[in-house]
Amino acid sequence: MAYVDRGLGEYDRALALQRPTLEARLRLFGEAHERTRNVMTFHAMTLDQAGRTAEALPWAERVYEVERRTVGETAMDTLIDATNLAKYYYKLDRHREAVALMRRTLVGMEQAGVDDTTMAIAQFFLARPLWALGERAEAEQLIDQSIVTLRRTAGDESSWTRDAVEQRTQWHAPQIDASAAPP
């Protein structure tokens, strides 16, 4: 039910349903149990979608560390949760941490042989904090590669493709000084 509520934007209701499940799983199975890790990830994502990224961050950091310890650096769950964690770092203006984590994650993804779509999404998640840090050439190269791959693998109608294209467009949109008076 929490999944449905989250999908409908009913974040408070979803969180209210998630909390008892999360607490019970932690108490009964511990944080290393696969389903407990899934619930922690889901909880962090719901907090983030509710606009509470700062509250999501400790959960994302916790599940990432548990996964690194239990299933390894290059396990798909670890790589996906690393990408989520980097997204939260980016949203909280912790760009250097986001870049460092995404660089390690991309290496792990290459070692794990992930599919092209997943790699392109990870490139997108690295490009954004690079841009914020002023590393414009590398950010543009990564997002352009991401867009080409996403168009080929997911199509132009994919939300990932649209997000990457929109981000690229925003980077080059003319900046208007709202404080300047019209002539």
Side-chain angles (χ1 to χ4, degrees):
M1 195 64 176
Y3 184 79
V4 171
D5 288 336
R6 189 182 90 171
L8 295 172
E10 297 289 337
Y11 304 118
D12 289 335
R13 207 162 82 189
L15 289 165
L17 290 169
Q18 285 173 3
R19 280 188 198 102
T21 302
L22 178 56
E23 291 166 4
R25 286 206 169 275
L26 285 167
R27 186 177 61 257
L28 296 171
F29 303 111
E31 67 183 7
H33 190 276
E34 179 183 13
R35 290 200 177 143
T36 304
R37 295 189 325 263
N38 290 342
V39 173
M40 288 192 303
T41 298
F42 187 72
H43 187 65
M45 292 170 71
T46 306
L47 285 165
D48 175 57
Q49 290 174 328
R52 296 161 58 180
T53 305
E55 291 176 63
L57 184 63
W59 287 104
E61 288 174 328
R62 182 176 177 181
V63 74
Y64 173 65
E65 289 305 321
V66 170
E67 286 181 344
R68 287 178 63 205
R69 232 181 20 250
T70 58
V71 296
E73 292 275 344
T74 57
M76 196 61 186
D77 284 348
T78 307
L79 297 169
I80 295 300
D81 282 320
T83 303
N84 287 334
L85 177 56
K87 177 179 74 172
Y88 303 151
Y89 284 149
Y90 169 75
K91 288 175 125 181
L92 294 169
D93 294 328
R94 293 170 62 174
H95 304 303
R96 292 194 193 295
E97 290 165 282
V99 167
L101 182 55
M102 281 313 302
R103 287 195 192 286
R104 285 194 315 269
T105 302
L106 279 167
V107 168
M109 286 181 169
E110 287 173 6
Q111 292 171 350
V114 302
D115 63 271
D116 290 347
T117 302
T118 302
M119 187 64 82
I121 293 166
Q123 288 172 328
F124 171 67
F125 280 114
L126 174 56
R128 295 185 315 166
L130 281 169
W131 183 271
L133 290 171
E135 302 291 335
R136 304 280 163 91
E138 185 179 2
E140 286 182 349
Q141 179 184 11
L142 282 167
I143 204 155
D144 288 347
Q145 288 172 349
S146 177
I147 292 168
V148 167
T149 301
L150 288 168
R151 281 184 167 151
R152 177 176 50 81
T153 62
D156 284 332
E157 296 307 312
S158 160
S159 63
W160 288 113
T161 306
R162 289 193 316 265
D163 288 350
V165 169
E166 181 181 323
Q167 182 67 73
R168 181 75 161 88
T169 303
Q170 286 176 2
W171 288 347
H172 294 286
Q175 300 298 312
I176 299 170
D177 182 357
S179 65

